[in-house]
Amino acid sequence: PNNDVMDGSSEERYRLSSHEDADEDGMATRFICRFKPSMETTLSVYNVDYDYNTFRKGYKSTFTEEGFDNHMIWSSQLFFQCPVPVSLQETVRLGTSVKNDYATLFLDLIPIRTPPNYGAPASFLQPKYGKKTTIHR
């Protein structure tokens, strides 16, 4: 995603873009993390690059239209983080958002709908991996 403000307002807006047009923090994200009640947003961060791992494993595609990849998805865990906005970090660290044993800070996890990766995994790699990535065997 690219986090351009499109209409001149202060509201954050996102759009799907190519790697060349994407903001650096949006190249590998799949979720918008919206913290409530402040409505501040961050973009999710993966612990590992799943497209790169699929490429390194030598799979012909990340997903198949026929569903032959279901065995890889059904019991898989998806690890990622939602970075806490700087303005909320102290509140989270100290736990002051908990009032009378009730949470007052919430998180909306908003999926970013992207086309499925039916093609070769190398076609989805971020620019940091370059056009030619060597697989060591």
Side-chain angles (χ1 to χ4, degrees):
N2 183 304
N3 185 10
D4 290 337
V5 176
M6 304 272 187
D7 58 5
S9 72
S10 61
E11 179 184 349
E12 287 186 308
R13 306 274 309 213
Y14 298 89
R15 66 179 172 85
L16 293 179
S17 65
S18 64
H19 279 133
E20 293 78 26
D21 292 335
D23 292 340
E24 189 171 332
D25 63 344
M27 277 192 212
T29 192
R30 295 293 186 271
F31 301 100
I32 297 171
C33 307
R34 182 172 53 206
F35 293 81
K36 289 183 171 183
S38 70
M39 302 304 282
E40 293 181 69
T41 62
T42 60
L43 297 175
S44 65
V45 177
Y46 283 106
N47 298 356
V48 297
D49 187 325
Y50 291 100
D51 291 322
Y52 182 68
N53 284 350
T54 302
F55 170 75
R56 292 277 302 188
K57 288 179 179 182
Y59 292 144
K60 293 182 179 168
S61 66
T62 306
F63 299 110
T64 63
E65 292 186 62
E66 297 81 16
F68 297 130
D69 46 26
N70 283 344
H71 71 284
M72 297 184 296
I73 298 170
W74 283 104
S75 59
S76 296
Q77 296 179 3
L78 183 63
F79 291 105
F80 66 93
Q81 303 169 34
C82 277
V84 176
V86 173
S87 66
L88 298 174
Q89 288 177 1
E90 190 72 5
T91 302
V92 171
R93 187 180 71 76
L94 296 174
T96 56
S97 64
V98 178
K99 309 285 185 196
N100 298 321
D101 280 341
Y102 290 97
T104 61
L105 181 63
F106 302 95
L107 173 71
D108 286 340
L109 191 60
I110 304 163
I112 299 170
R113 296 187 68 184
T114 58
N117 297 1
Y118 290 140
S123 62
F124 299 101
L125 292 179
Q126 295 179 50
K128 69 181 179 182
Y129 297 115
K131 296 270 186 211
K132 294 181 182 177
T133 305
T134 305
I135 297 179
H136 302 284
R137 296 188 187 260

